[in-house]
């Protein structure tokens, strides 16, 4: 697939031909959120690759959007979004969570590395970009797609962000595109980070209703969070490619939410007390045994889907980062 060739080459080049500045981002592979919050020294370390694209002839520090891919890795659509940001006068940093981990796809097995690690990647990128001379550290945003959408939502959650980057530090805004909200902190506060979610109402990978509940929980804690559902749109409806069936996709959108205690420990859906030893795989096995799992799901765009996504994305980032 096109995504694999981009990922294997590890040369993230925009459609304009701009190769950008290579970044090495020191991240980690926590086994779960509990380890990331309570025992960060025990996390195996990993360096992930990124590319920073800065508008030419920039004369002052610029805002930046971290582009976080989903289960198929870096796709041409992510690079097009990055070019759109650059043309808007916003720097873009595309990260590759897969290459250095030896992963090519997580569509058939999401437990190859933890969702906590995905969120950690985002905040590790924030740390690196905060030190870049061209970047305004107070105007850092992140746009995540699918698994990447889940990552930016967790990275915006103060219970996680405070432990990783420090109290009150983090991102000014996040846009979560068709995220999975199967894991949510009991305390979903995001502080001053603005949250926007874009999702199709015909998504077969993730539950729109579960995501609606997540956004509402953020709002009820005082967060600035909004969500837009797009009529008839499938998963990855910003791709600009025809809808296709991914036969090997392993999904369970109807599975119950796994909540996360303040210390990062998972609470099993059938239990009341948090257990620090639980990991993603334990919860996924439960979902499969309970009958929620299924094979095969669709991705892609139809009609004006991609154009509608782009228009909303542009409006959000103009307002959130450019004022």
């Amino acid at each position: 697939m096109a995504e694999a060739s981009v990922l294997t080459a590890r040369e993230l080049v925009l459609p304009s031909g701009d190769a950008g500045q290579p970044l090495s981002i020191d991240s980690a592979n926590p086994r779960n959120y509990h380890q990331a919050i309570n025992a960060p020294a025990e996390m195996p370390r990993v360096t992930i690759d990124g590319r920073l694209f800065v508008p030419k002839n920039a004369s002052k520090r610029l805002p930046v959007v971290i582009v976080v891919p989903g289960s198929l890795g870096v796709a041409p659509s992510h690079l097009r979004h990055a070019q759109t940001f650059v043309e808007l006068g916003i720097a873009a940093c595309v990260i590759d969570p897969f290459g250095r981990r030896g992963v090519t796809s997580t569509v058939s097995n999401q437990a190859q590395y933890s969702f906590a690690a995905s969120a950690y990647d985002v905040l590790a990128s924030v740390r690196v970009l905060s030190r870049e001379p061209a970047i305004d550290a107070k105007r850092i945003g992140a746009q995540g797609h699918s698994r990447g959408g889940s990552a930016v939502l967790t990275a915006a959650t103060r219970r996680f962000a405070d432990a990783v980057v420090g109290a009150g530090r983090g991102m000014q805004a996040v846009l979560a595109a068709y995220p999975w909200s199967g894991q949510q902190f009991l305390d979903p506060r995001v502080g001053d980070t603005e949250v926007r979610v874009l999702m199709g109402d015909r998504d077969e990978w993730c539950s729109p209703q579960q995501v609606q509940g997540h956004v509402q929980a953020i709002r009820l804690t005082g967060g600035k969070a909004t969500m837009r559902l797009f009529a008839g749109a499938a998963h990855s409806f910003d791709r600009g490619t025809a809808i296709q069936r991914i036969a090997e996709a392993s999904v369970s959108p109807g599975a119950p939410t796994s909540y996360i205690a303040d210390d990062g420990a998972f609470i099993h859906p059938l239990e009341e007390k948090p257990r620090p030893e639980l990991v993603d795989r334990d919860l996924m096995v439960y979902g499969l045994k309970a009958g929620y799992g299924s094979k095969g799901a669709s991705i892609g765009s139809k009609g004006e889907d991609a154009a509608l996504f782009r228009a909303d994305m542009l409006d959000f980032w103009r307002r959130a980062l450019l004022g």
Side-chain angles (χ1 to χ4, degrees):
M1 298 176 67
E3 294 82 8
S5 64
V6 172
L7 189 63
T8 302
R10 300 240 309 247
E11 293 182 4
L12 307 183
V13 180
L14 298 185
S16 62
D18 185 2
Q21 171 191 340
L23 292 180
S24 292
I25 299 166
D26 292 330
S27 190
N29 282 322
R31 66 192 305 268
N32 55 21
Y33 302 104
H34 187 268
Q35 185 183 53
I37 291 174
N38 299 280
E42 298 176 9
M43 301 185 300
R45 308 303 301 186
V46 64
T47 299
I48 65 170
D49 293 316
R51 291 292 187 280
L52 176 61
F53 304 94
V54 178
K56 293 180 174 61
N57 302 318
S59 59
K60 59 182 179 179
R61 290 177 180 265
L62 297 172
V64 64
V65 175
I66 304 164
V67 181
V68 189
S71 296
L72 283 167
V74 179
S77 56
H78 303 130
L79 301 180
R80 288 196 300 271
H81 293 324
Q83 182 164 316
T84 297
F85 299 145
V86 171
E87 292 170 351
L88 192 61
I90 298 173
C93 178
V94 183
I95 64 171
D96 171 11
F98 285 1
R100 298 289 187 99
R101 289 187 170 103
V103 175
T104 56
S105 169
T106 60
V107 296
S108 62
N109 178 11
Q110 294 289 351
Q112 294 175 71
Y113 66 102
S114 70
F115 277 79
S118 291
Y120 197 95
D121 286 348
V122 178
L123 294 172
S125 301
V126 170
R127 276 200 298 253
V128 170
L129 291 167
S130 296
R131 298 192 295 265
E132 282 293 317
I135 300 304
D136 181 349
K138 295 182 179 180
R139 292 190 291 165
I140 297 177
Q143 177 169 307
H145 297 252
S146 192
R147 180 174 175 133
S150 305
V152 302
L153 285 177
T154 300
T157 304
R158 294 316 319 172
R159 287 290 178 183
F160 190 72
D162 286 352
V164 177
V165 293
R169 298 179 180 177
M171 296 170 290
Q172 182 166 336
V174 299
L175 190 155
Y178 36 89
W180 178 62
S181 284
Q183 298 176 357
Q184 301 177 33
F185 273 81
L186 283 172
D187 179 357
R189 284 178 293 175
V190 296
D192 294 330
T193 303
E194 182 174 356
V195 174
R196 178 70 166 165
V197 175
L198 305 180
M199 192 168 192
D201 68 354
R202 301 298 296 173
D203 197 306
E204 298 175 338
W205 299 66
C206 308
S207 165
Q209 186 175 23
Q210 191 175 50
V211 179
Q212 285 177 311
H214 193 175
V215 173
Q216 178 68 354
I218 293 171
R219 281 199 292 258
L220 290 173
T221 58
K224 188 176 182 180
T226 57
M227 178 176 179
R228 179 181 176 185
L229 277 177
F230 292 77
H235 198 72
S236 298
F237 64 99
D238 61 311
R239 291 171 69 88
T241 57
I243 292 179
Q244 61 174 309
R245 191 78 175 168
I246 307 297
E248 67 270 25
S250 180
V251 299
S252 53
T257 303
S258 296
Y259 284 101
I260 307 162
D262 291 351
D263 67 352
F266 278 123
I267 303 170
H268 193 285
L270 300 182
E271 301 172 7
E272 296 182 3
K273 294 183 179 180
R275 287 202 280 144
E277 73 275 13
L278 288 177
V279 296
D280 292 350
R281 187 177 184 279
D282 297 322
L283 302 168
M284 292 172 186
V285 168
Y286 154 71
L288 291 173
K289 288 184 176 179
Y292 292 105
S294 62
K295 278 288 188 180
S298 298
I299 61 171
S301 311
K302 60 171 181 54
E304 295 298 310
D305 284 351
L308 290 171
F309 180 98
R310 184 178 186 275
D312 198 296
M313 176 188 78
L314 281 170
D315 179 70
F316 176 73
W317 288 118
R318 280 196 188 102
R319 178 171 46 78
L321 292 186
L322 296 179

